[in-house]
Amino acid sequence: NAGVTQTPKFQVLKTGQSMTLQCAQDMNHEYMSWYRQDPGMGLRLIHYSVGAGITDQGEVPNGYNVSRSTTEDFPLRLLSAAPSQTSVYFCASSYGQGKTRRQYFGPGTRLTVT
Amino acid sequence: AQKVTQAQTEISVVEKEDVTLDCVYETRDTTYYLFWYKQPPSGELVFLIRRNSFDEQNEISGRYSWNFQKSTSSFNFTITASQVVDSAVYFCALSEAQYFGNEKLTFGTGTRLTIIP
């Protein structure tokens, strides 16, 4: 299994541009989520999905859209990038029972908005 | 609302010393889940442990140990005989039971640990 994959690894955008951060998992996990990591603030939840066709907002959803058309993919869209969205973005998926349940994180996408 | 506090922003210790990373949490749920993640300089997030609120036994894994105390809402992490490879940012995180399955994690701000050779 490749686990959770994210593309691209690095991206530079200009203010106002749009782009999609890709996230895929091959573990048949039901639950997927997006976090952003900013210096001194830990990771904060942007959006999450409990299954194909079902998404909901997290702590910091403004400026981001998501959709979940398949179990495997959970893309994050920035419609009009702003410098405040400069961050490292992590996608995660989870499944499992009892004590084994945990989040599997992707390697991250470092986004810079100028 | 749930909250995780890691008051230690940065810690430096000399190799082979023991070090404890503190984590204090707040939640209104009686059932919840606590986690520790390691983020080495390469940037990925490495899962270390998950603890259920109804299981108060402490846990040891090699040089790592975790002390869970519900009475003080703390879930501290100790590294014994630290090594340079332990240098990383460590995150404590909390998930409330109502979100079980969704695993909506609330993270602390992290503690940067530097092991000096």
Side-chain angles (χ1 to χ4, degrees):
Chain A
N1 287 346
V4 180
T5 58
Q6 292 183 237
T7 56
K9 289 188 177 180
F10 302 94
Q11 183 70 50
V12 178
L13 288 178
K14 294 185 177 179
T15 298
Q17 287 184 320
S18 63
M19 79 159 296
T20 299
L21 279 62
Q22 301 292 344
C23 174
Q25 52 91 9
D26 61 357
M27 298 173 283
N28 201 33
H29 286 177
E30 300 170 313
Y31 306 103
M32 297 186 73
S33 51
W34 278 100
Y35 292 84
R36 60 177 288 173
Q37 182 180 13
D38 301 298
M41 300 189 71
L43 281 79
R44 293 179 294 168
L45 182 65
I46 304 172
H47 285 286
Y48 66 96
S49 169
V50 301
I54 306 171
T55 64
D56 205 349
Q57 297 180 350
E59 180 184 355
V60 288
N62 292 341
Y64 308 96
N65 281 349
V66 292
S67 60
R68 184 99 178 270
S69 57
T70 67
T71 299
E72 295 77 19
D73 300 299
F74 191 42
L76 179 71
R77 298 185 187 85
L78 285 71
L79 299 179
S80 179
S84 61
Q85 294 179 304
T86 294
S87 187
V88 180
Y89 291 85
F90 287 96
C91 178
S93 69
S94 64
Y95 184 68
Q97 300 297 321
K99 295 185 77 172
T100 65
R101 191 175 193 102
R102 67 171 181 91
Q103 300 254 13
Y104 293 76
F105 282 89
T109 294
R110 184 175 295 274
L111 175 67
T112 301
V113 183
T114 62
Chain B
Q2 53 189 8
K3 183 179 179 182
V4 176
T5 301
Q6 294 180 258
Q8 303 154 309
T9 304
E10 296 189 24
I11 300 176
S12 294
V13 300
V14 176
E15 195 173 18
K16 298 184 182 178
E17 288 185 348
D18 299 347
V19 58
T20 295
L21 308 183
D22 297 333
C23 174
V24 175
Y25 61 91
E26 297 176 25
T27 177
R28 287 175 289 189
D29 264 18
T30 56
T31 302
Y32 48 89
Y33 307 89
L34 294 162
F35 303 80
W36 276 94
Y37 282 88
K38 174 183 180 180
Q39 187 175 45
S42 52
E44 74 270 25
L45 287 160
V46 179
F47 169 81
L48 296 178
I49 190 171
R50 168 194 171 103
R51 170 63 66 206
N52 304 330
S53 60
F54 45 86
D55 180 2
E56 293 193 62
Q57 283 191 339
N58 292 325
E59 186 156 338
I60 298 175
S61 176
R63 297 184 295 108
Y64 295 171
S65 62
W66 290 270
N67 182 8
F68 176 38
Q69 292 195 339
K70 289 183 76 171
S71 60
T72 57
S73 297
S74 65
F75 186 43
N76 296 337
F77 172 33
T78 297
I79 301 174
T80 303
S82 61
Q83 300 176 0
V84 172
V85 294
D86 296 326
S87 295
V89 179
Y90 291 86
F91 291 99
C92 181
L94 166 70
S95 175
E96 291 180 331
Q98 65 178 308
Y99 299 122
F100 182 69
N102 296 353
E103 295 289 316
K104 293 170 64 175
L105 295 176
T106 296
F107 282 82
T109 53
T111 297
R112 181 178 300 277
L113 175 64
T114 301
I115 308 300
I116 304 167

